[in-house]
Amino acid sequence: MPEIAIQHINKRFGKVQALKDINITVENGEVFGLVGPDGAGKSTMFNILTTLLKPDSGEVEVLGMDVVKDYLQIRQVIGYLPGVFSLYPDLSVQENLAFFATMYKSSILDNMSLIKPIWKQLVPFKDRPAGKLSGGMKQKLALCCALIHKPKLLFLDEPTTGVDPVSRREFWDILKDIQHKGVTVVVSTPYMDEATRCDRIALIQNGEIIKIDTPNKIISNFRGHLFTMKTDDIFGLMQLMEQFELRCNYYPYGEHFHIAFYDDVEKALPAFEEFLQQHEREHGEIKPITPNIEDCFIELIQMK
Amino acid sequence: MKELRMILYKELIHIVRDKITLFLVLAIPIMLVLLFGFTISTEIRNAQIAILDQAKDGQSASLIDKISSSGYFQIVAYPETESEIDRDFKEIDIKLALIIPPDFEHALEKDKMATLQVINDVSDLNVASILNNYLLAITHDYINEYNNMGEETGSVEIVTNMLYNPESNSVYMFVPGIITLIMIIVTALMSSITLAREKETGTMNMLLITPVKKVYVIIGKVIPYMCLSLISTIMIIVISVFVFKMPVNGSIWLLLLLCIVFMFTAASFGMMISAISKTQIDAMMVTMMGLFLPTVLLSGFLFPLDNMPMFFQVLADVFPAKWFIIAIKDVMIKGSGFFDIWKYLGILILMAIILITISLTNVDKRK
């Protein structure tokens, strides 16, 4: 039995179709990632999975229980870390944790084993009001609160948004540790680089699932031949590329310009170089690169 | 129960750490009572008046005596002509002028009645009508005494006996009103704002996905503010009894029971409001417009309900304040017992039950 089975769910807010016919299964013990830009429908998805919102249609089973009918039972076995900081800012770190422990009929000491590595980092700040913690520390505290009752399933809605890169890496190490202790983790993120740390990911955009697979498979299924180069005037080049006739996909990537060719690359690459020369474009070396999740995401959106 | 204790403890921390709000909640009631008590008074003493005594006889002298010894009037001028009265109104700002006609004593003897003329400064309507009533009462008294001195006692006499508030003390009016307002503000407004804050910051969702009973969440939110408003109420009563000599003629325990029942109703109003509002601003606006204004305007506290159009009288019945003010006045001033006011207690409890049912079904409403 899958840990989570989502079948054909739809959710609409007024005129906005937030989720369109979503189908996902999450297996026991995996770290499953929902990857997509802001406004893709990730938080709506989480609110449905954590029983805070009802889907308009379709069925969702969490641990074999229906999110609409059995929501009270589901609430006892899941942990949730919402997208916005949702602890009491005027309560101290320890008071917050003790509060949520009691709400789950549990106590801090009972479940120390699961949260010990995180709690150790929080101990020096245990008397500080939660509102005065740094972004990373806030998320660690929220994670402690979400884990205090030993949930079987942990939902994390953009846990690393607004957290510095070092703390982000640390946070993912913690998640892996939690996974090894037998907790299934569903996590959303707008950062493509974090997607590779999930066992499987669902790429989501405008309320639709574009692809569900392991990060490696998604990358190996990249269809084009991807090249990167540096150029000073990316905007000008983007406009100029409208005149380029061969089948390709191009986009700015930071300071770089990415281009993927879909026809015979032996012919396409020289043609592209000639095209640049013709229009007297200054550019750096054109290097082949392995696509990352973001390149795949862009390709999948283009193909739709 | 452990959960409820924890929620209460948490709420207590919120209250204690938010020092400004705590101070306001405890200080505003005291300020309101003192403000109303010392400044807003419908009782006027030592109003400055002028008397033009055209009679200058024994009767007019004793009437003037009676007026000046009443304590309500201070005779500051004795003008000789009517134009001097005009001058006194403008220059020494008298509130009222009384003209005693030349044939005053004669008229009394002959007709057993006389006509007096009163000139009022009606730029303040309230003051003018109050002073008029005082003067009327004094002259009435005077005429009656005069008539009774003679042998003929055939004239009909109306003796008004002012029950419960013989001195028309305004403190009797505003203390019940202030208690009502404070309980509405502290219990309904504070609990609805803090519940809305939990929605706004997302902690409500965190609470909802825990297995804790939703009743605990609500009760835990409301009880601390009920205690706070009980403290305020007791402070108001103590101040009004010891500073303004307000009587508590009924049982003090019945008074407390009544206050607790009303707080309960106010709190359930607060819960209903927070159930329908998403943000703190919403909660505040709804409480102000939907509860505070009707309480001020439609409770009989400032404006008598009997004179209102039927629509507003019916509307007033829907809000708890009217019933509470009737009951609290009965207990404090009339000294009514439980069996005199059980009807009002019943109405308040019924309102609370209806409101709590509505809000409990709304708190975990998933869309």
Side-chain angles (χ1 to χ4, degrees), chain A residues 51 54 68 88 90 105, chain B residues 3 14 17 198 366-367:
Chain A
T51 75
K54 284 180 187 168
V68 180
Y88 298 101
D90 52 338
K105 296 186 205 296
Chain B
E3 292 102 297
H14 288 323
R17 293 201 182 148
E198 299 231 8
R366 300 179 304 149
K367 288 180 193 125

Side-chain angles (χ1 to χ4, degrees), chain A residues 11 47 50-55 67-69 71-72 75-76 78-82 84-88 90-92 95 98-100 102-106 142 145-146, chain B residues 1-11 13-15 17-18 197-198 200-214 216-217 221 364-367:
Chain A
K11 182 72 193 176
N47 282 336
T50 52
T51 75
L52 290 170
L53 211 60
K54 284 180 187 168
V67 283
V68 180
K69 278 187 300 201
Y71 69 100
L72 286 176
R75 288 175 182 186
Q76 304 193 12
I78 60 168
Y80 177 39
L81 195 154
V84 286
F85 180 68
S86 300
L87 300 175
Y88 298 101
D90 52 338
L91 262 61
S92 74
E95 284 164 343
F99 178 75
F100 283 102
T102 311
M103 293 304 107
Y104 280 110
K105 296 186 205 296
S106 163
C145 291
Chain B
M1 280 316 277
K2 216 177 153 196
E3 292 102 297
L4 180 59
R5 272 218 307 277
M6 192 58 170
I7 295 177
L8 286 173
Y9 174 66
K10 180 213 81 177
E11 212 56 47
I13 295 181
H14 288 323
I15 293 174
R17 293 201 182 148
D18 187 359
R197 181 188 303 156
E198 299 231 8
E200 218 174 313
T201 56
T203 46
M204 196 61 188
N205 276 351
M206 291 297 283
L207 276 177
L208 284 182
I209 64 158
T210 68
V212 69
K213 288 201 183 76
K214 304 316 159 232
Y216 287 171
V217 176
K221 196 93 225 176
D364 192 11
K365 198 176 173 195
R366 300 179 304 149
K367 288 180 193 125

Side-chain angles (χ1 to χ4, degrees), chain A residues 14-284:
Chain A
K15 283 181 181 165
V16 183
Q17 181 88 39
L19 294 174
K20 288 174 213 159
D21 194 37
I22 303 277
N23 294 286
I24 298 175
T25 50
V26 176
E27 301 299 333
N28 189 346
E30 70 178 339
V31 171
F32 188 90
L34 270 178
V35 183
D38 288 346
K42 300 191 298 292
S43 293
T44 307
M45 194 74 228
F46 272 99
N47 282 336
I48 290 175
L49 290 174
T50 52
T51 75
L52 290 170
L53 211 60
K54 284 180 187 168
D56 293 341
S57 63
E59 273 179 32
V60 185
E61 282 193 352
V62 173
L63 298 159
M65 294 176 281
D66 186 89
V67 283
V68 180
K69 278 187 300 201
D70 311 320
Y71 69 100
L72 286 176
Q73 288 96 303
I74 292 178
R75 288 175 182 186
Q76 304 193 12
V77 292
I78 60 168
Y80 177 39
L81 195 154
V84 286
F85 180 68
S86 300
L87 300 175
Y88 298 101
D90 52 338
L91 262 61
S92 74
V93 169
Q94 188 157 19
E95 284 164 343
N96 263 299
L97 191 59
F99 178 75
F100 283 102
T102 311
M103 293 304 107
Y104 280 110
K105 296 186 205 296
S106 163
S107 80
I108 298 181
L109 291 174
D110 285 351
N111 297 310
M112 217 32 178
S113 61
L114 192 59
I115 61 167
K116 198 163 191 177
I118 324 165
W119 183 240
K120 260 199 293 195
Q121 299 178 36
L122 283 166
V123 167
F125 309 102
K126 71 179 166 47
D127 294 320
R128 189 181 287 193
K132 291 192 173 145
L133 292 173
S134 68
M137 280 295 167
K138 272 182 185 163
Q139 289 307 66
K140 280 173 195 163
L141 174 60
L143 187 59
C144 275
C145 291
L147 286 172
I148 194 68
H149 57 300
K150 281 190 184 154
K152 293 186 180 135
L153 247 169
L154 179 62
F155 292 98
L156 305 121
D157 190 5
E158 302 201 7
T160 54
T161 300
V163 174
D164 67 89
V166 179
S167 301
R168 269 168 62 188
R169 208 173 317 128
E170 254 177 42
F171 198 85
W172 275 94
D173 292 338
I174 293 170
L175 286 191
K176 283 292 180 186
D177 184 55
I178 292 165
Q179 179 191 19
H180 294 316
K181 286 176 175 150
V183 181
T184 307
V185 177
V186 179
V187 57
S188 74
T189 177
Y191 302 118
M192 303 288 169
D193 55 317
E194 289 183 344
T196 46
R197 302 205 59 170
C198 301
D199 295 319
R200 285 194 311 140
I201 54 175
L203 295 176
I204 178 168
Q205 204 208 10
N206 295 333
E208 281 179 278
I209 298 284
I210 297 168
K211 187 91 184 168
I212 303 177
D213 217 327
T214 66
N216 284 337
K217 272 213 179 125
I218 288 179
I219 288 170
S220 64
N221 282 341
F222 191 79
R223 300 233 214 122
H225 299 271
L226 188 67
F227 292 86
T228 181
M229 66 173 207
K230 260 198 159 173
T231 175
D232 291 335
D233 180 19
I234 292 183
F235 183 69
L237 183 57
M238 292 291 290
Q239 282 185 321
L240 183 66
M241 284 302 288
E242 279 164 29
Q243 299 170 29
F244 188 64
E245 282 167 357
L246 286 170
R247 206 155 68 89
C248 66
N249 187 17
Y250 51 88
Y251 42 89
Y253 191 94
E255 317 179 276
H256 295 261
F257 179 79
H258 278 197
I259 182 162
F261 299 108
Y262 291 92
D263 294 318
D264 186 0
V265 68
E266 303 293 326
K267 279 184 197 158
L269 187 58
F272 177 56
E273 277 174 324
E274 198 181 314
F275 175 78
L276 290 175
Q277 220 161 21
Q278 242 174 35
H279 293 86
E280 295 170 345
R281 303 298 304 194
E282 297 266 328
H283 64 86

Side-chain angles (χ1 to χ4, degrees), chain B residues 11-25:
Chain B
E11 212 56 47
L12 201 68
I13 295 181
H14 288 323
I15 293 174
V16 173
R17 293 201 182 148
D18 187 359
K19 297 235 159 47
I20 295 173
T21 311
L22 183 64
F23 171 75
L24 287 180
V25 164

